[in-house]
Amino acid sequence: MDKIFQDRHSVRSFQDKEISKKDLTEILEAANSAPSAGNLKAREIIIVKDQKIRDELAEAALGQDFVAEAPLVLVFFAVPEHSERKYGQRGRNLYTLQDATIAASFAWLQAVILGLAACWVGAFDDDEVKKIFKTKDDWQPVAIMPIGYEK
Ligand SMILES: Cc1cc2nc3c(=O)[nH]c(=O)nc-3n(C[C@H](O)[C@H](O)[C@H](O)COP(=O)(O)O)c2cc1C
């Protein structure tokens, strides 16, 4: 097993230190390189740096305050319509979630490669998260991922 898998662990406390544009780009490139059913990439990633939105996300994540502490938060959504067009119910119910999940996994590993740390936050109120970003109703938030330098 590569060291990257030993290094990756959930971090819930972050330094007050910005992430460079270059690192953010590499994390997004890694996420976008993840495979998807039919290469349809039935997912969207919302990049959050704004403190007010980070606060709202922490609240939507049932008060997990470390979400607001991280300088960068990525929110991964499954976007069923992209996959449903080709794969019907299986695309809508399964592939879209898998597309978003694997992209989030790749993002986390790339963050670790860059010396950053993250946590996968799955405990949140779906409707509250959707309301923050005014997404279409069928977008499914899959993971909130705070990323930063470990404290
Ligand atoms: C689907 C999923 C949901 C999770 N949700 C949360 C969460 O809401 N809050 C949290 O602090 N950690 C959450 N975690 C992180 C797990 O608690 C963590 O990965 C697990 O305890 C193993 O620890 P490690 O990541 O350090 O190996 C989640 C992980 C996964 C994969």
Side-chain angles (χ1 to χ4, degrees), residues 50 81 95:
D50 182 84
E81 68 187 65
Y95 294 161

Side-chain angles (χ1 to χ4, degrees), residues 22-38:
K22 184 174 169 294
D23 283 359
L24 172 58
T25 301
E26 288 196 34
I27 291 167
L28 294 175
E29 281 174 355
N32 285 325
S33 79
S36 62

